[in-house]
Amino acid sequence: MVFTSLYLLATFFIVPKIAPLFGRVKIANTPYLTQHSLFTVLCNRNYVRPTLHKVLQKTGKQLQTYYPGVKISYLDACFPFFDGFPLLPHLSHKDGKKIDLNFMYLLPSGQPTSQGPSVSGYGVFQAPKPGEQNKPAYCHQKGYWQYSFTKYLTFGSTDELRYSSKHTKKLVQLLLRQSAVKKIFLEPHLIQRMGIQHSKLRFHGCKAVRHDDHLHVQL
């Protein structure tokens, strides 16, 4: 109980005060932005550069002009201190410039939402359809066993939500308009499905894990 009390005190009151000394800010929950899981907050995986924080808030506000009441839902970002400290299992979330975001989904009522179908936010893939590029199969054939490993890290999922390419496309388009955004990692078959061509939309390579369950956004 003592450890838990001290940890929570540090997480919610001390670390947010120290993080700006390292060029990071805690992501603030607003009418436009929220975390997917409380686990992210409790583990201090919700810190970014101030510029990225502004991008998220601005994009969330713009998103609500199209879909009122729908917030951007973020997954893992970065730790509050020290560039280069790894945010496992991610390869690049170590400088405050990267964050993962949920796709957009449809509730059974047909209303859009950014709350994803898995507890962790990862591992529920939107697999390639016939005729689309199939990088997951390519990477598996090349021997990259870890490529679909996040399917074991869902920690539970629901079938009530349906992926919406239309609504996810709008979110991607709004992010692409932000000059501070340098790259967005997404599986090629989903880029193909959306019909978007942009230099900022990239394939992340087979050494990473699949990105047909979330967006990776970086400065």
Side-chain angles (χ1 to χ4, degrees):
M1 291 179 65
V2 171
F3 170 80
T4 300
S5 298
L6 291 175
Y7 181 85
L8 293 176
L9 177 67
T11 295
F12 289 103
F13 297 102
I14 299 176
V15 173
K17 301 295 184 181
I18 301 175
L21 300 177
F22 296 85
R24 317 280 175 88
V25 295
K26 181 180 179 179
I27 300 174
N29 284 354
T30 68
Y32 315 112
L33 181 67
T34 187
Q35 80 278 349
H36 172 79
S37 170
L38 185 60
F39 176 84
T40 302
V41 177
L42 291 176
C43 292
N44 292 288
R45 300 165 76 93
N46 59 328
Y47 285 81
V48 293
R49 302 273 181 171
T51 300
L52 182 52
H53 192 260
K54 291 178 181 178
V55 165
L56 296 171
Q57 299 290 355
K58 182 178 180 180
T59 304
K61 187 174 183 179
Q62 292 174 343
L63 185 68
Q64 289 204 4
T65 64
Y66 297 92
Y67 313 122
V70 177
K71 300 180 181 182
I72 290 178
S73 175
Y74 71 88
L75 306 171
D76 283 344
C78 299
F79 283 132
F81 310 134
F82 306 115
D83 287 353
F85 192 87
L87 186 88
L88 298 175
H90 304 279
L91 298 177
S92 63
H93 290 232
K94 55 186 177 181
D95 56 8
K97 298 180 180 180
K98 286 90 176 181
I99 192 168
D100 291 341
L101 305 179
N102 265 330
F103 290 156
M104 299 287 291
Y105 297 86
L106 295 178
L107 296 166
S109 63
Q111 295 298 312
T113 180
S114 61
Q115 285 299 311
S118 74
V119 173
S120 68
Y122 298 96
V124 177
F125 306 127
Q126 307 304 320
K129 295 180 179 180
E132 294 179 341
Q133 295 185 58
N134 196 332
K135 286 294 185 181
Y138 170 82
C139 292
H140 292 154
Q141 290 170 1
K142 291 294 183 179
Y144 293 95
W145 60 269
Q146 87 296 336
Y147 199 67
S148 296
F149 184 76
T150 47
K151 67 182 179 181
Y152 301 111
L153 302 176
T154 63
F155 302 116
S157 61
T158 177
D159 295 327
E160 292 184 355
L161 299 179
R162 181 165 54 90
Y163 170 71
S164 174
S165 181
K166 170 188 172 182
H167 294 84
T168 302
K169 177 179 179 179
K170 177 56 67 178
L171 174 58
V172 170
Q173 289 175 324
L174 293 174
L175 289 166
L176 290 173
R177 293 176 189 172
Q178 307 298 326
S179 59
V181 172
K182 182 180 180 181
K183 298 178 184 178
I184 298 177
F185 290 156
L186 188 61
E187 288 291 339
H189 65 271
L190 293 184
I191 298 175
Q192 181 181 355
R193 195 178 305 175
M194 292 177 190
I196 301 178
Q197 293 184 346
H198 201 287
S199 60
K200 294 181 181 180
L201 279 175
R202 310 283 184 84
F203 173 57
H204 41 280
C206 291
K207 293 182 180 180
V209 295
R210 292 176 65 159
H211 282 64
D212 52 357
D213 57 350
H214 70 281
L215 295 171
H216 169 100
V217 181
Q218 68 182 62
L219 300 183

